[in-house]
C-alpha cells in the first residue's frame, strides 16, 4: 500500500508527471463531470426530478435520492466548484487509503455516505418543506473533513481535537454561517444546495474516516 505522503513518481524520462493526483481522486472528479453531461444531454426532466432529494413529505420518503442527488448539479459553475474541491480533498485521502481497488472503493463509499448524511441533515431540518436538493457538496464536505484529519495527523489519522482539524472545522462552520445568513445558495431551476448539508457532511466525514480507513486496510493511527 502506498505511503500517502510519498512524492509523486517521476516520468520515465525523469521529468515531473503533468498529473500527480492519484487515480481514485481523478476518477471521482471525472465521474462528476460525466454525470453532469448525461444530465444535460441525455436525461429527461422526469428522470431528473426522480433523482432529486426532497424532504417532502418526510426526510426518508425516497431514501435512494439521498445518494442520486449527489450526482446532479445546477450548472457548470456548480459542477466546476464541486469537482475542483472533490479533486483537491480526495487527493490526500486517496493516497492514504491506497491506490488498489480496495482503497478506491473505500474512497467512493466514504464520499457517498458523507454526501447522503449531509443531504439527510438538510432534510431533517426541513422536513415536509418543498425543497429540492442536488449537488455533491455534502460529499465534498466529508472529503474535506477526512483530508483535515489526515493532514492534522501528519499522514495518519489525526485526533478530532488536533489543531489543524479544529481550525479547519471552525473555518468550515464560519464560512457556512455566512451562507446561512445570506439565505442559502439557490441554483438554476429552483433547487437548493444549503449550508446544513455542508455541515452535516463535514461532521460525518470527521467521524467516519476511521471505519472507512479500516475498510481499506489503511488505519495507521
Amino acid at each position: 500500500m502506498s505511503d500517502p505522503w510519498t512524492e509523486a513518481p517521476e516520468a520515465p524520462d525523469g521529468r515531473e508527471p503533468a498529473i500527480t493526483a492519484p487515480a481514485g481522486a481523478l476518477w471521482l472528479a471525472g465521474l462528476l463531470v460525466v454525470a453532469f453531461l448525461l444530465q444535460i444531454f441525455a436525461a429527461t426532466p422526469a428522470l431528473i426530478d426522480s433523482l432529486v432529494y426532497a424532504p417532502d413529505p418526510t426526510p426518508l420518503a425516497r431514501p435512494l435520492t439521498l445518494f442520486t442527488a449527489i450526482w446532479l448539479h445546477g450548472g457548470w459553475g456548480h459542477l466546476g466548484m464541486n469537482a475542483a474541491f472533490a479533486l483537491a480533498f480526495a487527493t490526500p485521502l486517496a493516497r492514504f487509503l491506497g491506490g488498489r481497488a480496495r482503497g478506491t472503493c473505500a474512497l467512493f463509499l466514504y464520499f457517498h455516505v458523507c454526501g447522503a448524511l449531509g443531504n439527510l441533515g438538510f432534510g431533517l431540518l426541513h422536513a415536509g418543506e418543498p425543497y429540492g436538493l442536488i449537488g455533491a457538496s455534502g460529499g465534498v464536505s466529508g472529503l474535506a473533513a477526512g483530508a483535515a484529519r489526515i493532514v492534522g495527523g501528519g499522514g495518519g489519522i489525526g485526533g478530532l481535537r488536533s489543531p489543524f482539524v479544529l481550525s479547519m472545522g471552525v473555518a468550515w462552520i464560519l464560512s457556512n454561517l455566512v451562507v446561512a445568513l445570506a439565505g442559502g445558495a439557490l441554483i438554476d431551476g429552483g433547487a437548493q444546495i444549503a449550508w446544513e448539508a455542508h455541515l452535516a457532511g463535514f461532521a460525518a466525514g470527521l467521524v467516519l474516516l476511521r471505519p472507512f480507513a479500516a475498510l481499506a486496510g489503511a488505519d495507521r493511527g
Side-chain angles (χ1 to χ4, degrees):
M1 186 175 296
S2 61
D3 186 283
W5 303 109
T6 300
E7 294 183 359
E10 291 188 350
D13 58 5
R15 295 178 299 175
E16 288 291 326
I19 299 176
T20 59
L26 292 170
W27 272 108
L28 181 56
L31 287 173
L32 287 172
V33 175
V34 170
F36 184 65
L37 291 174
L38 292 174
Q39 175 188 333
I40 60 177
F41 291 118
T44 64
L47 176 59
I48 293 174
D49 287 343
S50 71
L51 301 177
V52 172
Y53 172 67
D56 183 26
T58 68
L60 290 174
R62 296 190 298 157
L64 286 180
T65 60
L66 289 167
F67 299 92
T68 58
I70 294 170
W71 296 93
L72 300 175
H73 287 86
W76 284 106
H78 187 206
L79 167 73
M81 181 175 296
N82 276 339
F85 280 119
L87 179 61
F89 293 131
T91 291
L93 280 168
R95 288 178 178 154
F96 175 74
L97 296 173
R100 296 184 179 179
R102 186 178 175 185
T104 300
C105 287
L107 174 68
F108 272 72
L109 286 172
Y110 178 75
F111 169 75
H112 277 91
V113 172
C114 291
L117 290 175
N119 291 343
L120 182 59
F122 174 89
L124 291 173
L125 292 174
H126 295 279
E129 298 180 19
Y131 290 122
L133 186 66
I134 61 175
S137 298
V140 171
S141 297
L143 296 176
R149 291 199 68 180
I150 292 171
V151 174
I157 300 179
L160 293 175
R161 291 183 291 181
S162 67
F164 189 85
V165 172
L166 288 176
S167 62
M168 183 72 168
V170 170
W172 209 260
I173 291 171
L174 291 177
S175 63
N176 281 283
L177 284 178
V178 172
V179 173
L181 292 173
L186 292 175
I187 57 177
D188 296 342
Q192 186 175 21
I193 158 178
W195 59 270
E196 299 95 327
H198 298 171
L199 293 182
F202 191 87
L206 288 176
V207 174
L208 294 177
L209 177 60
R210 193 172 294 279
F212 278 92
L215 180 65
D219 192 356
R220 306 173 201 165

